[in-house]
Amino acid sequence: MTTLYLGGYTTDQPPATSGLARVSWTHDGFGEVERLDGPGDPSWLVRVSDAELYAVGEGDPGRVTRVRPGEGVVAEASAGGQGTAHLALSPDGRWLVASNYVAGSVALVAVGADGSLEQVDELGFEGRGPHERQDAPHAHQAVFLDDGRLLVCDLGTDEVHEVSVGDGRLRHTGDIDLPRGSGPRHLALAPGRDDLLWVVGELDQTVHTVRRADGGWTVTGTVSTTPEGPGPGETTAAGIVVSPDGSHVYVSTRGTDTVSVLAAGEDGTLTLRQQVVTGHWPRFIGWIPGEEGSHLLVAAEKEGSVDVWAVDEGLLEETGHSLAWSAPTWVG
């Protein structure tokens, strides 16, 4: 049996059906959902163990919290800006980095030896893009490369910012340029490599292969997640995960409500192998802990469901296992 945690929106949602929760999973299906005390709008979580996790509170201002099931919030700190959409934990566990979408900034939160949380720095960005949603910087995700370096996806500026972490300070050290109007939302690193990653372009429904050579990062290829065109309404790419062996990349697209299965070559080139239809508005995708590469979770925010897909030689197969949960935005 595996314990899964759920994060989702509480604003404008029915009581006792959204927010923070946990549920058991076996190959026979889901157990009963147990709602947990936590912050409002815990839209992104970071698991530390079965007994502890970090959660954002996506408000104004945003919050970073440490939660223990059964106890609730046991520590918290300001995320500095508004619209905290993502949280990343450094490999050594000393730092949390919160990405503030509305504020266009990232905040550095120190994790004390006693588990306390303290915001020690905040770094804002500058710029804009050609799309109507790119009126200002919009930091959407931070990913640690190691204890001292991270990459920040900025949907508003069409850049992935290179940032260093040292002595409790964040320093903007460089930028990776993405195609104009693409709106980089999330990225995923190639397993076991330090020279290859893939970036989701939310606004133009694309996935970009980015390689490092001679000390710099360059976009070397782009594929569409909507090869037959966007849906009839708003259409935006969202989540991304990579198989443990790096052979496949999975990307969700809201509006067409699909997950694209992309085969990855040694040089990172992507080729579309499969597209499956999911619940409405698949905001998040991720592996079941301990079943990475074999079972994929799809959180369909507007459908109000979490669905499990099996993976066979890279391709997705329906399992029929679905969990009803209002406005899910994270599961794992």
Side-chain angles (χ1 to χ4, degrees), residues 178-235:
L178 275 294
R180 298 287 286 167
S182 58
R185 175 186 174 92
H186 281 190
L187 66 83
L189 305 172
R193 296 180 61 171
D194 62 3
D195 65 341
L196 176 63
L197 56 87
W198 296 278
V199 182
V200 171
E202 173 173 335
L203 300 180
D204 66 354
Q205 310 102 50
T206 52
V207 190
H208 307 283
T209 298
V210 183
R211 297 195 64 185
R212 184 170 63 181
D214 301 323
W217 294 92
T218 305
V219 175
T220 59
T222 299
V223 297
S224 173
T225 68
T226 55
E228 298 181 2
E234 181 183 8
T235 305

Side-chain angles (χ1 to χ4, degrees), residues 7 26 44 64 83 92 104 109 111 172 195 222 250 262 282 294 301 326:
T26 69
W44 194 272
V64 177
D92 61 8
V109 176
V111 180
H172 185 185
D195 65 341
T222 299
Y250 302 82
L262 303 159
S294 65
E301 180 186 351
S326 183

Side-chain angles (χ1 to χ4, degrees), residues 25-30 295 306-309 318-323:
W25 154 259
T26 69
H27 288 183
D28 293 324
F30 293 101
H295 285 91
V306 174
D307 300 311
V308 179
W309 291 77
E318 291 187 82
T319 66
H321 297 305
S322 182
L323 175 71

Side-chain angles (χ1 to χ4, degrees), residues 269-283:
T269 299
L270 299 176
T271 304
L272 181 64
R273 286 194 68 195
Q274 180 192 31
Q275 279 191 319
V276 300
V277 177
T278 68
H280 186 32
W281 217 250
R283 180 187 177 103

